Amino acid sequence: MNMEFQSKKLAGIFRLIYIFLFLFLLLMPVLMLLEKNGFYPFLVMESIFLIIIFILIVSILKLKIRIEGNFLLIKIIFTMYKTDINKIYKVRKGETMWSGFNKFGTTTNGLIIFTKHLNDLYITPDNEVLFLNELQKINPNIIIENK
């Protein structure tokens, strides 16, 4: 069985933080240009910041949470995280993105997935109920607790 879940979209304060970060990264090199440091340092800094912005945007828009057979995979362009669903022993709902070891969530009120390997995962699937039901179909021993 293969299922794919989208991550929740940025909303509220996180959207504002990202917009502020992008504007800061785009406008910071302009100060170098205005201080008459030359065009070359401006071009180098602007290129570096544009690459950082591109990576952030791709990681937000292309984040996929997949269940493939007995495995839970997190993919952005390629697989970033993979764990066996049978090794998951607990899922905690309502957590923030400051929880967990591997962070692939885009908003707050996500899920922390605890595995036997102590590499906790923070994710924010769009449809939490369907996602948790699919996990429990594969591993009925998963304990789901609310924060």
Side-chain angles (χ1 to χ4, degrees), residues 8-117:
K8 292 178 185 175
K9 301 298 178 208
L10 286 175
I13 190 73
F14 288 105
R15 183 179 291 168
L16 292 175
I17 289 170
Y18 273 95
I19 289 171
F20 177 75
L21 177 67
F22 293 160
L23 288 174
F24 177 77
L25 289 176
L26 286 174
L27 297 177
M28 190 63 179
V30 173
L31 293 176
M32 292 178 64
L33 187 63
L34 293 176
E35 290 178 0
K36 300 190 181 0
N37 288 333
F39 188 71
Y40 183 72
F42 163 77
L43 190 61
V44 170
M45 289 298 291
E46 192 68 36
S47 300
I48 291 170
F49 288 162
L50 284 173
I51 290 170
I52 292 170
I53 290 171
F54 176 75
I55 290 170
L56 285 171
I57 290 173
V58 166
S59 69
I60 292 168
L61 296 177
K62 296 291 183 182
L63 181 64
K64 305 278 189 259
I65 304 163
R66 294 185 56 107
I67 297 175
E68 292 182 3
N70 285 345
F71 289 95
L72 173 64
L73 295 102
I74 307 298
K75 292 185 172 190
I76 294 178
I77 293 174
F78 51 89
T79 301
M80 302 291 291
Y81 180 89
K82 181 178 181 180
T83 191
D84 188 351
I85 294 173
N86 292 313
K87 295 190 179 180
I88 296 173
Y89 66 90
K90 180 170 70 171
V91 176
R92 186 180 303 146
K93 296 169 67 174
E95 286 288 343
T96 66
M97 69 173 28
W98 309 117
S99 304
F101 185 72
N102 297 294
K103 296 169 179 35
F104 294 103
T106 53
T107 62
T108 59
N109 293 328
L111 304 172
I112 297 286
I113 296 176
F114 297 93
T115 64
K116 294 178 182 174
H117 298 296

